[in-house]
């Protein structure tokens, strides 16, 4: 069983600069079969944007694909280091009611750990573990 976030995280997560159009983030999600992209400000983690953020914060307000990512993202996100224990990550996600945590070293994203990663680690036979392990739909 994995003991640290580094053991279960998705390494080298897709990232976008905050001033880029949200269409760039959406294309990265599509191309990486991911529901979230790390948001950077001059290469340093400043937030996260999810497919739901784009839907709720932009599309529902009739904003277009050229809108800067910073208008859709969640800034000031909780991040963990690669040496954070899996149990600590679970507790943080529970406390904050979030589905993903950026994994950061020296201000730069080195990974992302998701609820699905935790499910596959802890109970690969669960419904969430099965769904998370399934190939993406393109």
């Amino acid at each position: 069983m994995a003991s640290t976030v580094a053991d279960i995280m998705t390494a080298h997560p897709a990232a976008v600069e905050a001033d880029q159009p949200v269409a760039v983030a959406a294309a990265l999600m599509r191309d990486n079969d991911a529901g979230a992209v790390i948001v950077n400000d001059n290469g340093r983690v400043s937030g996260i944007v999810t497919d739901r953020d784009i839907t709720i914060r932009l599309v529902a307000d009739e904003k277009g694909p050229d809108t800067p990512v910073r208008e859709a993202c969640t800034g000031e996100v909780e991040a963990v280091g690669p040496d954070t224990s899996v149990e600590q990550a679970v507790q943080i996600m529970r406390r904050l009611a979030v589905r993903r945590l950026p994994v950061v070293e020296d201000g730069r994203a080195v990974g992302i750990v998701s609820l699905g990663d935790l499910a596959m680690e802890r109970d690969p036979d669960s419904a969430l573990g099965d769904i998370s392990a399934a190939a993406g739909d393109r």
Side-chain angles (χ1 to χ4, degrees):
M1 184 172 250
S3 61
T4 67
V5 168
D7 297 326
I8 63 170
M9 71 181 189
T10 299
H12 314 293
V16 63
E17 284 291 321
D19 60 349
Q20 288 187 285
V22 74
V24 172
L28 283 169
M29 288 178 203
R30 177 197 62 213
D31 296 347
N32 290 280
D33 189 30
V37 174
I38 300 292
V39 179
N40 290 326
D41 187 6
N42 293 316
R44 305 195 61 82
V45 175
S46 65
I48 191 167
V49 65
T50 68
D51 46 7
R52 187 174 194 282
D53 291 334
I54 292 169
T55 301
I56 301 300
R57 295 181 181 156
L58 295 185
V59 176
D61 288 338
E62 298 182 7
K63 294 182 181 177
D66 293 331
T67 304
V69 170
R70 74 171 39 86
E71 291 188 32
C73 77
T74 300
E76 303 294 319
V77 294
E78 184 86 17
V80 296
D83 59 345
T84 301
S85 75
V86 170
E87 188 55 40
Q88 284 176 294
V90 168
Q91 294 305 319
I92 291 167
M93 292 170 85
R94 260 194 198 130
R95 180 173 44 85
L96 300 174
V98 295
R99 294 173 177 88
R100 299 168 186 90
L101 290 173
V103 182
V104 177
E105 271 187 320
D106 299 321
R108 300 191 186 284
V110 296
I112 191 165
V113 63
S114 71
L115 192 59
D117 296 329
L118 294 170
M120 288 188 328
E121 170 60 25
R122 292 190 153 197
D123 189 2
D125 295 325
S126 69
L128 183 54
D130 286 345
I131 292 166
S132 297
D137 57 329
R138 288 188 151 205

